[in-house]
Amino acid sequence: MDAAEASELQARLAAAVYALNHDASPSARLAANQWLLALQRSPQAWAVATSLLAAPDPPPPADLLFFATQMLRRKIQSPSPALPGLGLAPQLLDALLLAARRFCAAPAPRQLLTQICLALAALALRAEGGVDGLFARMPHLPPPAVLELLTVLPEEAAQDQGGDTGVDAAARCRFTRELLAHAPAVLEFLHGQSEKAPTDDDGVPLHERNRRILRCLLSWVRVGCFSETPAAALATHPLLTFAFNSLQELPEAFLSKTPYIREVLLLPALANRSEKIIAGLACLMCEVGQAAPALVAEGGSQALALTDGLLRCVDFTSEDWEIAESTFQFWCSLAHFILGIDVKTAKRNVVQELFVPVFSSLLDALLFRAQIDTDSDGAPCIPEGLTQFRMNLEELLVDICLLLGAPAYINKLFSGGWDFSSQTIPWKEVEVRMYALSMVADTILQDESSFDFSIIMHFVNILSSRTPELNGSLFLVYKSFGDVIGSYSKWLSSSQSNIKPLLLFCASGISKSISSNACSLALRKLCEDAPSFIHEPQNLEILFWISEGMNKGNLQLEDEEEIISAITHALSSVSEKELKKSSLARLLCSSYSAVEKIIDIDRDQSIRQNPAAYTQSLDLAVRGLYRMSALFHHLATSVTSGLVDDDIIIVLIGILWPLLEKLFRSYHMENVNLSAAVSANVIEEFGHKEEYGALCVRTFETLSSASSISALNSSYTCDQEPDLVEAYTYFTSMFIRCCPKEAIVASSSLLELSFQKAAICSTAMHRGAALAAMSYMSCFLEAVLAAVLESPECIPNGSPGVALIQILARCGEGLLSNVLYALLGVSALSRVHKSATILQQLAALCSFCEGTAWKAVLSWNSLCGWLQSTVKSLPSEYLKQGEAEIIVPLWLKVLQDAGSDYLYSRTGDNIRSHQGYMQGKGGRTLKRIIRDFAESHRNVPIPSPS
């Protein structure tokens, strides 16, 4: 083909390409396409394409060059005809390399260089020695061209599904081996490119260069460039570090778009109440913020647009609380970052000052969203979503308190501007602020500032003197104030004038089911923190009034035990011996009367003939026995500390024993619940005496052999006999707490059986039965932990600790399995706290044993194995896809932190008489993880462990 023919062919080619891309006539485009396909199949295509790429400046139009390169690539890939003669292949290679050098930078379009490199890669695959020849010529190319060529080369190692069928598998394997021979040099080149300074003048912006490097690295990773690299070297490879560091650029790019997202998308969605759009945008902004808290903490306009947008999402009211709750992790991560800055640096002060208004506004929004409400009828109306929202709010409130500072936080809560007339008090606002105050008690108490809590006492006076006009769920105000009094009792009870209204408030709150637990705990704290003030006659009368009110039988057993323990503690510290004796006798008699009434039934058969009345009398008698048991249990501690003399105990036993003798002789003892309660009462009074050890063991054997106890081998049976479960587990708890070591060792087989039954009962649908079983398991773990803490260096022969820890080693997997099953289904949320407590104790125990002589029996590996086996054995329908792989490492990390918190609370000056297992950060995180698991698995089929 001479020069004239070549020129004419180029002109026709240019016209056809122009027609194909720009002509408005379909027939003209069709004709152009047919002519171009014919040209591509002709021998002349090689020459015309290469001549266009080598045309002098100014170069031909970009679309013409693009077509010429694409035509060359397709000619190379086509199985027939073959490549031009051996003499022409090197010329084609040189032409393509010259084109790559010429068109690797602007104004040439990026796609042209990619097509040239694709043609080079196709040629290297087919030509003999093509890979080595190509790499030999690469040093003569500019870095952008080398980078693009290296990116597309590995792609030829895979079969091209787009039509490249001219190469067999063997040739591709050879090509891959030849490529990998050059992998070290490629990685070195990429490393050098990644370290180039941003000011290097190669015409490529830094972020674009980094993107190209990562794209090239990905191509070589896919072909196996690291397959021979040792794992240790791979973990520290500079290119992987570069890749991870490059990911940090993404949040910055997203953050720059935040003002647009807020103005153009979020604000209109909020105005139109488009909940799905708001939820999606909130999720997006949270992810951006959590990925780069340091960028947000810089406080630029984009960061403030992000925080403002998320504040609006928190403040958005809807039927549920999911949108507001979805932002919690972002706020926590931002607070943690700010609080993690060195407190001594000026940067910490600047950042904290900048974000104090943001978190102050956040607190306002959270308090508003956390308010309770009532329906039009005034009936209780606490939506489940609000309950969950409040439970998940604790960590964030603690972070806000730390960031604002305790004084500012309290001032924020108390600055309601409320009218102190009880008729106009906004109780919804008061309640939510007391809730927010109780949630941060640990943080406030650790602060050295002094606070004026007179406003709390003002409301306490109102609530204790008369019941204000509260509708439905607003009675929750008693619970929130009860939580506050229990948390801050030492401060509130420091003034004698506060004691009477505080006691009256507790009495009022205990009578309401929604607040009975909080107020009974508050009563205990008051009796512990201010015993001298409570000894005033009027205050003692309030305590007796509270104790006598329990005869109605409308409280939970655990609340009754708290109340009796609190009052017993207060009376035991009365300095005047006769007053102490008469007061304790009076307290005993308040429970005595309930048992006395059941004995009177022997003389009044009419009650026996009324099943409902008889069952109620039995229940009240059992409750009375448990209260007397709690009284003697607390007195045992008082005797040890010297507060109560033996002669007082003798007087009290003299009152009780005749009653027990009558009860033993009555036919009522056929009732297992009653007999278990009586036995527990006797063990609590006399179990610590070694001479009664054998009797305690025989009592345990007799109770365990009862057919009704033997039948407690499934959650279904436990649901049918919840009172029996509570009686049995209470007895076993008293046995472990009170009996001498010889009795515990002798009863190891019975204790193992009871522990297994308790684990099964923890999965019962009946809340009371499940929680009673969990309380016993917690008591068991507490006893084991006390034993190993007492003797970490050696395992004492014949000690009860050895028997108990061996039981745990054998039953640990069953315990963990049943606790996990207890967290599945609709009733799981009520077991969250107890489950988290058990898991925290178990983690503390396994963690502590790891470094002691007990490791031979129990270790951290034991817990790891139990958890892995439990999760593996769960039916697939109980877990979400991929959840099994996530649970084990996540829970083990959280359990390790929670166990450390519990051990810290049990050592040195940190020991408390009533451990709050969930007080540490690790404990709170564990509780949140457990609660999230229970919440997300509420709709699974009601399970039963195998």
Side-chain angles (χ1 to χ4, degrees), residues 93 97 114 116-126 130-136 138 141 145-158 172 175-176 178-180 182 186 215-216 219-220 223:
L93 177 63
L97 288 171
T114 301
I116 294 170
C117 292
L118 286 171
L120 283 167
L123 186 60
L125 173 63
R126 288 157 179 82
V131 172
D132 292 338
L134 192 57
F135 271 91
M138 276 189 198
L141 294 176
V146 175
L147 198 56
E148 186 67 21
L149 182 55
L150 289 176
T151 300
V152 302
L153 263 176
E155 296 174 4
E156 288 294 333
R172 290 187 188 277
F175 178 75
T176 302
E178 293 176 359
L179 275 182
L180 290 176
H182 294 276
V186 172
R215 180 168 164 257
C216 182
S219 290
W220 283 84
V223 85

Side-chain angles (χ1 to χ4, degrees), residues 483-505:
D483 289 333
V484 167
I485 293 170
S487 299
Y488 301 94
S489 63
K490 188 164 289 187
W491 291 355
L492 293 170
S493 63
S494 60
S495 172
Q496 185 172 358
S497 62
N498 288 347
I499 300 300
K500 181 180 178 181
L502 287 171
L503 292 178
L504 288 172
F505 170 83

Side-chain angles (χ1 to χ4, degrees), residues 723-896:
D723 293 340
L724 179 62
V725 173
E726 293 185 36
Y728 176 61
T729 53
Y730 186 81
F731 172 87
T732 49
S733 297
M734 289 303 103
F735 190 92
I736 288 179
R737 286 175 180 169
C738 304
C739 285
K741 61 182 181 179
E742 293 82 4
I744 291 178
V745 173
S747 304
S748 60
S749 61
L750 298 175
L751 286 170
E752 183 167 352
L753 180 65
S754 69
F755 192 79
Q756 292 170 345
K757 289 184 179 296
I760 293 171
C761 293
S762 68
T763 65
M765 292 289 291
H766 190 279
R767 179 178 180 273
L771 294 183
M774 288 182 166
S775 293
Y776 167 53
M777 291 192 291
S778 180
C779 172
F780 189 101
L781 293 171
E782 184 71 21
V784 179
L785 192 55
V788 298
L789 288 173
E790 184 179 346
S791 180
E793 301 302 328
C794 64
I795 302 178
N797 292 328
S799 74
V802 174
L804 295 178
I805 200 171
Q806 287 175 341
I807 292 172
L808 182 60
R810 290 191 293 268
C811 302
E813 184 173 342
L815 163 66
L816 201 58
S817 176
N818 281 282
V819 168
L820 197 61
Y821 273 94
L823 294 170
L824 301 173
V826 293
S827 58
L829 286 176
S830 63
R831 295 96 185 272
V832 165
H833 182 78
K834 289 283 188 184
S835 298
T837 298
I838 290 171
L839 292 175
Q840 187 174 22
Q841 289 174 294
L842 188 61
L845 187 55
C846 293
S847 177
F848 182 80
C849 288
E850 186 68 27
T852 69
W854 300 89
K855 182 179 180 180
V857 185
L858 193 70
S859 67
W860 185 254
N861 286 337
S862 305
L863 180 60
C864 296
W866 296 339
L867 183 59
Q868 289 170 348
S869 177
T870 296
V871 173
K872 185 178 180 180
S873 65
L874 280 173
S876 58
E877 63 266 26
Y878 293 162
L879 296 177
K880 301 173 184 175
Q881 186 175 3
E883 189 176 17
E885 291 75 18
I886 297 173
I887 284 180
V888 174
L890 173 64
W891 282 31
L892 285 176
K893 174 62 173 70
V894 174
L895 283 168
Q896 194 168 37

Side-chain angles (χ1 to χ4, degrees), residues 313-511:
C313 292
V314 174
D315 208 34
F316 176 74
T317 56
S318 62
E319 292 183 358
D320 58 44
W321 288 259
E322 291 182 4
I323 293 176
E325 194 172 333
S326 69
T327 69
F328 284 5
Q329 283 300 106
F330 161 74
W331 295 113
C332 287
S333 66
L334 179 58
H336 292 171
F337 179 84
I338 296 172
L339 294 169
I341 301 174
D342 189 347
V343 71
K344 297 179 181 179
T345 63
K347 181 182 178 182
R348 162 75 176 268
N349 296 331
V350 170
V351 174
Q352 195 161 349
E353 184 177 348
L354 178 65
F355 280 92
V356 160
V358 174
F359 280 89
S360 181
S361 298
L362 174 62
L363 180 57
D364 286 335
L366 293 172
L367 293 176
F368 175 72
R369 293 307 316 279
Q371 283 185 16
I372 57 175
D373 206 346
T374 56
D375 60 22
S376 57
D377 298 327
C381 182
I382 306 177
E384 191 173 323
L386 177 56
T387 301
Q388 188 69 26
F389 179 80
R390 282 182 163 220
M391 287 194 294
N392 294 337
L393 193 52
E394 179 180 357
E395 183 182 0
L396 180 52
L397 289 176
V398 169
D399 290 338
I400 293 174
C401 182
L402 289 170
L403 201 141
L404 298 182
Y409 184 90
I410 290 180
N411 183 62
K412 186 80 175 173
L413 296 183
F414 289 173
S415 60
W418 302 310
D419 184 342
F420 281 171
S421 168
S422 62
Q423 284 77 25
T424 59
I425 292 175
W427 287 109
K428 289 195 299 184
E429 293 184 27
V430 173
E431 186 280 329
V432 77
R433 290 165 189 268
M434 293 304 105
Y435 154 80
L437 181 61
S438 68
M439 288 294 101
V440 299
D442 279 359
T443 305
I444 298 294
L445 292 171
Q446 291 170 12
D447 196 280
E448 297 180 354
S449 306
S450 57
F451 302 103
D452 179 12
F453 279 2
S454 59
I455 189 172
I456 295 178
M457 289 309 303
H458 173 81
F459 290 122
V460 166
N461 277 298
I462 293 175
L463 293 169
S464 61
S465 60
R466 62 189 183 279
T467 301
E469 294 298 323
L470 299 177
N471 291 326
S473 54
L474 281 177
F475 278 107
L476 194 66
V477 73
Y478 281 93
K479 179 185 183 303
S480 295
F481 270 98
D483 289 333
V484 167
I485 293 170
S487 299
Y488 301 94
S489 63
K490 188 164 289 187
W491 291 355
L492 293 170
S493 63
S494 60
S495 172
Q496 185 172 358
S497 62
N498 288 347
I499 300 300
K500 181 180 178 181
L502 287 171
L503 292 178
L504 288 172
F505 170 83
C506 288
S508 182
I510 286 170
S511 66

Side-chain angles (χ1 to χ4, degrees), residues 267-314:
L267 294 183
L270 290 167
N272 297 326
R273 300 192 58 80
S274 304
E275 292 192 25
K276 289 186 177 180
I277 296 176
I278 298 169
L281 293 174
C283 182
L284 172 64
M285 291 189 290
C286 285
E287 292 292 339
V288 171
Q290 284 176 247
L295 289 175
V296 179
E298 291 177 3
S301 59
Q302 297 165 348
L304 294 179
L306 178 76
T307 56
D308 177 77
L310 288 174
L311 279 174
R312 293 172 184 269
C313 292
V314 174

Side-chain angles (χ1 to χ4, degrees), residues 622-659:
V622 169
R623 287 172 173 273
L625 286 167
Y626 282 140
R627 292 200 297 273
M628 288 189 284
S629 180
L631 186 152
F632 279 100
H633 174 68
H634 195 93
L635 284 178
T637 306
S638 300
V639 169
T640 304
S641 61
L643 290 174
V644 176
D645 298 332
D646 285 343
D647 58 342
I648 294 180
I649 300 295
I650 292 172
V651 169
L652 297 177
I653 292 176
I655 296 172
L656 177 62
W657 193 253
L659 179 70

